[in-house]
Amino acid sequence: MRLVLLGAPGAGKGTLAKQLSKALGVVHISTGDIFREEVAAGTELGKKAKSYMDRGALVPDEVVIGMVKQRLSRPDVNAGFILDGFPRTVPQAEALDKVLEESNQPLDAVLDIVVPEETVVRRLSGRRVCRQCGAIYHIDNMPTKQEGVCDKCGGEVYQRDDDQPEAIRQRLKVYAEATAPLTDYYRTKGLLRPVDGTGTPEEVLGTALALLKG
Ligand code: AP5
């Protein structure tokens, strides 16, 4: 199965992608996670990306597209994939279409996680992430058993730099301007499946799986 997850920052793309990846046995490709790994490793790509990410701006299309093309050329995507955080602009979506057309691997569906703005702001403000394994928590909805320590791997749990109020506001603005138009792009192609993202993670997973079966 080849899927794209759309949705505002904090809608729950990463949370759902991790669950779907397990349920469907396909790889989860998050451009945000790849950039954060590059930042942690101190690479040139990481340094470049960090300057955009910290202020809630998008990394330039040519940088992201090149990186995703490389990732999609690896053999583990042959069994399917879930793209989380890509595409985020119409030029990125067009570039993805071209790559998938060339490899004869069309998308099966685009899940658009729909959540009201006040909910995403609450989710982002309370989010915590494991530095080591990337597990996602929330101080109220999904707290770790021990404060600051990942339940899964014992790694350090931290707050992302772009989860500060000013960066959150900017990310929501960029989403509305650059990414929201992708819903029309994929609706026209008959691929768009809106998913109510307001329930618990298990409920959202159930809705998504039911949509994919139907
Ligand atoms: P990225 O990491 O992709 O950030 P994002 O799209 O802003 O999405 P988030 O990771 O913030 O949220 P999410 O929807 O995954 O929610 P999550 O599951 O964590 O990108 C970061 C930056 O990298 C961008 O700003 C940009 O600079 C750059 N970048 C990345 N891709 C790019 C691209 N293609 N082009 C250009 N630049 C790019 O959940 C959020 C919180 O809510 C968590 O605390 C979670 O526990 C909680 N939660 C989730 N689901 C539920 C639920 N059902 N009920 C209750 N709580 C829930």
Side-chain angles (χ1 to χ4, degrees):
M1 174 120 2
R2 290 175 291 273
L3 301 175
V4 162
L5 293 194
L6 286 184
K13 299 181 294 297
T15 301
L16 177 62
K18 284 179 200 298
Q19 295 168 299
L20 278 178
S21 161
K22 248 193 219 160
L24 303 172
V26 298
V27 286
H28 168 204
I29 301 174
S30 156
T31 43
D33 285 351
I34 299 175
F35 284 134
R36 279 182 289 277
E37 283 162 19
E38 297 284 336
V39 171
T43 65
E44 278 312 307
L45 175 61
K47 282 180 202 155
K48 187 164 189 187
K50 188 169 169 40
S51 64
Y52 294 95
M53 293 167 81
D54 283 355
R55 58 190 155 92
L58 292 182
V59 177
D61 282 342
E62 65 275 15
V63 175
V64 192
I65 290 168
M67 187 178 86
V68 172
K69 269 189 187 166
Q70 226 176 31
R71 181 63 189 85
L72 289 177
S73 67
R74 281 171 40 187
D76 60 352
V77 302
N78 291 340
F81 55 79
I82 299 167
L83 281 171
D84 157 13
F86 182 93
R88 243 178 166 97
T89 63
V90 171
Q92 290 182 17
E94 288 167 350
L96 177 64
D97 281 350
K98 198 158 167 254
V99 173
L100 297 180
E101 218 174 274
E102 280 165 11
S103 58
N104 196 23
Q105 293 187 314
L107 290 174
D108 293 296
V110 174
L111 301 181
D112 180 28
I113 310 178
V114 184
V115 175
E117 185 163 319
E118 63 269 22
T119 307
V120 300
V121 172
R122 231 183 5 256
R123 287 184 180 177
L124 291 175
S125 314
R127 172 168 54 189
R128 298 292 182 270
V129 183
C130 176
R131 239 183 242 291
Q132 206 160 294
C133 72
I136 304 169
Y137 298 95
H138 189 280
I139 51 171
D140 302 318
N141 310 337
M142 278 166 263
T144 51
K145 291 193 184 99
Q146 193 186 335
E147 203 186 321
V149 180
C150 177
D151 294 352
K152 296 194 173 118
C153 75
E156 182 204 353
V157 169
Y158 79 112
Q159 182 171 32
R160 276 171 42 178
D161 290 342
D162 61 351
D163 280 347
Q164 301 299 330
E166 184 50 41
I168 291 175
R169 264 194 297 278
Q170 182 59 21
R171 284 160 65 200
L172 290 172
K173 188 167 168 266
V174 169
Y175 170 77
E177 286 168 8
T179 309
L182 286 181
T183 52
D184 280 341
Y185 182 90
Y186 286 119
R187 190 179 293 113
T188 308
K189 291 180 180 287
L191 289 169
L192 193 75
R193 308 277 180 275
V195 177
D196 176 3
T198 57
T200 64
E202 293 69 31
E203 285 167 347
V204 179
L205 174 66
T207 308
L209 286 173
L211 274 172
L212 294 173
K213 272 191 203 137

